[in-house]
Amino acid sequence: MRLINCGKIMRLLSLPLLVGFLGLLFACKGGQSPAEKVYVPPGKLDSYYAFLSGGHSGQIGVFGLPSGRLIKMIPVFAPDVAIGWGIDEGSKEIMGGYIWGDAHHPALSETNGDYDGRWLFINDTANGRIARIDLKDFVTKEIITLPNVGGNHASPFVTPNTEYLVGATRFSIPVPNRDVPIETYKENFNGVIAFVSVDKDTGHMENAFQILMPPFDYDLADAGKRVSYGWAFFSCYNSEEAYKDLEVEASQKDRDFIAAVNWKAAEEAIKEGKYKEINGVKVIDPQEVKGIVYFLPTPKSPHGSDVTPDGKYIVGGGKLAAVVTVHGFEKMQEAIKKGDFDGEVMGIPILKYESVRVAEVPVGLGPLHTQFDDQGYAYTSLFVDSAIAKWKLGTWEVVDKIPVYYNIGHLAAVHGDTVKPRGKFVLAMNKIAKGRYLPVGPSHPESAQLIDISGKKMEMLLDFPTPVEPHYGQIIDATLIKPELVYPLDQNKDPYAIKSADQARVERNGNRVDVYMIAIRSHFTPNILKFEEGDNVYFHITNLEQDVDITHGFGINFSNVDMQIEPGETKTVKWVAEKPGIYPFYCTNFCSALHQEMQGYIEVASKGSK
Ligand SMILES: [Cu+2]
């Protein structure tokens, strides 16, 4: 008996002892366990927003950090039937006829080189576009096409006061595009570097100017900041100018380039009329206008082109190299002044490698992208090594390395590409997540890993799956974003808005029928509608609610019509009365205890029967 009692006591004691021991261990290590560092208790909010691109889903994922919780998918280039993105007339017009886009690089707007929480921009690599999302309501407001840009990849990185977003060609094409033999690639194809201006009050985007470039593949970019303000830096590969079998043919040379563009000088050239217009855009030809662009030789097929927070250095990540190359902005200026060139391509001087290079940092294999913290350290993703290297700016020594799982592409630190990085965390965006999550068939999710960078050694905290495909991310302090939680009804300026049930009505003009409808818990007015076969019906629905989170939906049976209408918002959707019959419609977004009763009927009479 005594023995059994003893065993029981030991077992009862062992768990608290173990917990106590582990607690002591973490306390000695400086406080919290990884779980505690990412735990956000029920009812509490995350401290950071992470915006991760959704790749060829054409969307953007909004995650909370440090928890890694997915909060929202923002539809941008692709339809979203829940919200009605691509279904209602307004969003259809913004999407411009395409139903897909390849969303790669989210870029937050900046003021004085730091994120200001106003807008989020993202490129479409496939169809040469940039979209603007307003962070007041996390809705895509505008999509602009960049003419002459074949595959807009190095985009839309912002200049320090969001004067411009940049764009650049990944797949060179003839400019203007025309039918020429592909074999005449070197003679007839061009890259283009594009600058899109952003209105500082409205965010409205316009094609400002472009620079004609050799037919290389332009990859990523970063704007100069502080001392290098007025410049932008674009990595490019395929300086071999190959048009087939790129895997081999575009990997021949030891060095490709980072193109340094003096956008202030380009602005002057435009003012002086030194451009020709191609497809409605002012295009500068560097063979005719000197001093706008220079090439910095960079090994080897560089991907990342990242400017340090002080603006003094440009870090090139040569994805087939074992080092990152650090160029000095000051050295570059001196070399330009001295004419320290090593030939030229298409009128663009190539600066001597030794004259611009400050350091080669042996970070490891396959360096892609570099971010920065608030302590003078840089963090470089290593695709081949599946790791992140931490290294010191100035001494150029590698001080730490952490494995990630695996094949990391990009990484994002908190305000990690601004003049004021916040440190805290770096997020690894990994391309392949074999076996990392519960299996769901052959298509695996991608994977993000959150790493604590506040200490001397990096510490892995958390894995979470991400939708297709987080090429690139931005992490911003949550206090800088203050979204509107309802649209004030009294400020609703939609031409089809109505502000009360008495204004609800049906107006007919030939076979066009306009229905002015309201939605409020838990009914639509009107909710019995009669049309004739062949009528084109435009439903203009205003959600009269002013309470937070009382969104209504509007879906019509036997059709492709569904959309959400937010409190205080008006949306228009077109529906064609194609076939006689009865068509129920209903609220698709749960709104109240009587949500199920929020419905109506449409009667369509056969043509000429009434
Ligand atoms: Cu409802």
Side-chain angles (χ1 to χ4, degrees), residues 78-221:
D80 179 336
V81 295
I83 291 169
W85 189 254
I87 293 176
D88 74 83
E89 293 298 295
S91 60
K92 245 172 27 189
E93 196 183 325
I94 291 171
M95 288 177 71
Y98 288 108
I99 63 156
W100 85 291
D102 192 1
H104 274 231
H105 313 115
L108 286 160
S109 57
E110 293 183 7
T111 299
N112 298 323
D114 197 8
Y115 302 150
D116 57 21
R118 300 179 75 194
W119 303 300
L120 179 70
F121 303 93
I122 193 154
N123 69 316
D124 166 16
T125 300
N127 296 314
R129 299 179 293 168
I130 296 177
R132 176 173 57 88
I133 292 107
D134 197 326
L135 294 177
K136 275 226 170 79
D137 56 5
F138 288 57
V139 172
T140 306
K141 293 295 155 79
E142 189 182 8
I143 297 176
I144 187 175
T145 298
L146 281 53
N148 307 322
V149 180
N152 180 35
H153 192 270
S155 181
F157 305 95
V158 305
T159 55
N161 291 299
T162 321
E163 298 95 335
Y164 295 107
L165 311 167
V166 303
T169 293
R170 176 169 158 202
F171 312 108
S172 288
I173 52 172
V175 178
N177 204 349
R178 59 199 183 275
D179 176 19
V180 296
I182 293 171
E183 293 73 16
T184 63
Y185 184 92
K186 286 189 188 195
E187 300 79 53
N188 282 323
F189 285 47
N190 279 102
V192 160
I193 284 176
F195 286 78
V196 171
S197 63
V198 178
D199 185 282
K200 64 178 179 359
D201 299 316
T202 64
H204 176 63
M205 303 179 288
E206 299 256 15
N207 281 292
F209 59 87
Q210 298 181 346
I211 302 162
L212 205 62
M213 297 292 290
F216 304 161
D217 295 31
Y218 299 84
D219 203 358
L220 288 165

Side-chain angles (χ1 to χ4, degrees), residues 231-234 258-262 292-296 332 336 351:
W231 289 74
F233 303 91
F234 298 78
I258 285 176
V261 176
N262 184 340
I292 307 286
V293 49
Y294 301 89
F295 281 130
L296 313 175
M332 182 191 89
I336 292 171
L351 293 159

Side-chain angles (χ1 to χ4, degrees), residues 487-601:
Y487 296 115
L489 194 60
D490 56 3
Q491 289 169 33
N492 181 335
K493 299 278 187 290
D494 191 290
Y496 297 107
I498 54 174
K499 305 289 173 76
S500 70
D502 335 331
Q503 296 168 330
R505 63 193 185 274
V506 178
E507 286 178 0
R508 174 177 285 278
N509 192 349
N511 74 340
R512 176 182 169 124
V513 184
D514 288 277
V515 179
Y516 295 82
M517 184 184 273
I518 56 112
I520 191 163
R521 276 164 291 179
S522 291
H523 58 273
F524 297 103
T525 306
N527 58 51
I528 297 295
L529 292 159
K530 303 200 175 194
F531 306 125
E532 199 181 67
E533 188 181 352
D535 281 348
N536 290 309
V537 184
Y538 291 84
F539 290 93
H540 313 292
I541 306 176
T542 303
N543 178 347
L544 295 184
E545 308 279 358
Q546 290 290 274
D547 286 345
V548 170
D549 205 12
I550 305 298
T551 296
H552 292 293
F554 177 75
I556 303 178
N557 284 192
F558 320 120
S559 83
N560 277 319
V561 167
D562 180 49
M563 63 180 180
Q564 271 182 208
I565 313 114
E566 307 302 334
E569 184 181 38
T570 302
K571 270 187 180 169
T572 293
V573 68
K574 184 185 175 187
W575 175 81
V576 181
E578 275 174 351
K579 245 174 88 181
I582 300 296
Y583 298 85
F585 63 90
Y586 67 106
C587 177
T588 51
N589 198 88
F590 181 87
C591 58
S592 72
L594 294 172
H595 164 70
Q596 203 74 356
E597 281 73 11
M598 191 164 173
Q599 65 163 61
Y601 278 107

